[in-house]
Amino acid sequence: MPDPPNDRARAAWRTLTSRPVYANPWIRVREDVAELPDGRTTLYGVVECPPCIGVLPFLDTRTVVLVGQYRYVARAFAWEMPTGAMRPGESEEAAVQRELGEEAGYAAARLVKLASIATSKSVMDETAHLYLAEGLRPAPREPDHTEFIEVRAFPFDEVLRMVERSEITDAMTVVAMLHAARRRSSP
């Protein structure tokens, strides 16, 4: 049986103080003191990131392109879809085309928005906009200076199995794959 409505569960926390702790070109970290709905206070650390995009590129209806690279934080090589931060003033679609070109070496004739998600709602302020790309054509590939990327085409069904077996753990790729699978199974 569901819990009865709880006003405190929906009440906004009030920020009492906020101070910057750290910043670099990709993230900012701040430390807040927040007042809880019951009047108590708590310390809260927040990582702020610019909005980002992820794109699931389809070579044809059964084949997707993934990029693989060593991920420093995970300490492992990982397959994922092209992803990246949006630049100030850049539209989602422009960011998708830029990252698709930089990481995978393609441009898309058609982009379909799948979803916008909070990548980590408890400590990170980052929204990811996820797209599907179709009508791919080769484009100049100019990776970021910190990226050493392998590009490979995979059968869509194999990538879905990789998600199901937790071989692909990148949240943006997992969500995009599940959206794409649902679209494929819908009449």
Side-chain angles (χ1 to χ4, degrees):
M1 175 147 224
D3 289 343
N6 181 340
D7 291 340
R8 286 186 179 172
R10 295 175 184 260
W13 296 13
R14 190 167 63 101
T15 304
L16 301 176
T17 63
S18 186
R19 72 177 184 90
V21 176
Y22 173 80
N24 69 32
W26 302 277
I27 66 168
R28 291 185 318 204
V29 178
R30 72 174 201 262
E31 185 177 83
D32 294 353
V33 174
E35 183 180 51
L36 303 172
D38 65 2
R40 291 177 299 138
T41 60
T42 188
L43 190 62
Y44 214 97
V46 179
V47 179
E48 299 173 316
C49 298
C52 62
I53 58 84
V55 56
L56 187 61
F58 277 80
L59 282 174
D60 57 45
T61 58
R62 295 184 314 272
T63 311
V64 295
V65 175
L66 296 181
V67 295
Q69 60 186 310
Y70 180 83
R71 288 300 192 173
Y72 179 77
V73 173
R75 303 276 191 224
F77 177 88
W79 288 109
E80 59 199 44
M81 66 184 186
T83 61
M86 293 175 61
R87 295 177 178 161
E90 187 176 40
S91 71
E92 292 174 21
E93 293 81 3
V96 167
Q97 293 284 14
R98 178 179 49 76
E99 287 293 338
L100 183 57
E102 285 178 6
E103 293 192 2
Y106 289 100
R110 185 171 105 103
L111 299 174
V112 177
K113 185 155 187 184
L114 297 173
S116 291
I117 63 170
T119 58
S120 175
K121 84 278 179 235
S122 61
V123 296
M124 186 176 291
D125 180 3
E126 180 184 53
T127 300
H129 306 285
L130 308 180
Y131 283 78
L132 179 148
E134 299 172 318
L136 301 183
R137 63 188 181 284
R141 185 166 172 250
E142 299 175 23
D144 182 273
H145 73 282
T146 63
E147 295 176 325
F148 303 91
I149 295 174
E150 183 178 332
V151 181
R152 185 181 300 171
F154 289 86
F156 179 85
D157 291 339
E158 176 57 23
V159 176
L160 194 53
R161 286 190 292 276
M162 292 165 74
V163 166
E164 291 168 346
R165 293 187 303 253
S166 296
E167 293 170 14
I168 293 178
T169 58
D170 170 64
M172 288 190 278
T173 305
V174 170
V175 171
M177 280 297 298
L178 296 177
H179 272 277
R182 177 156 185 174
R183 292 173 68 88
R184 292 167 56 102
S185 66
S186 295

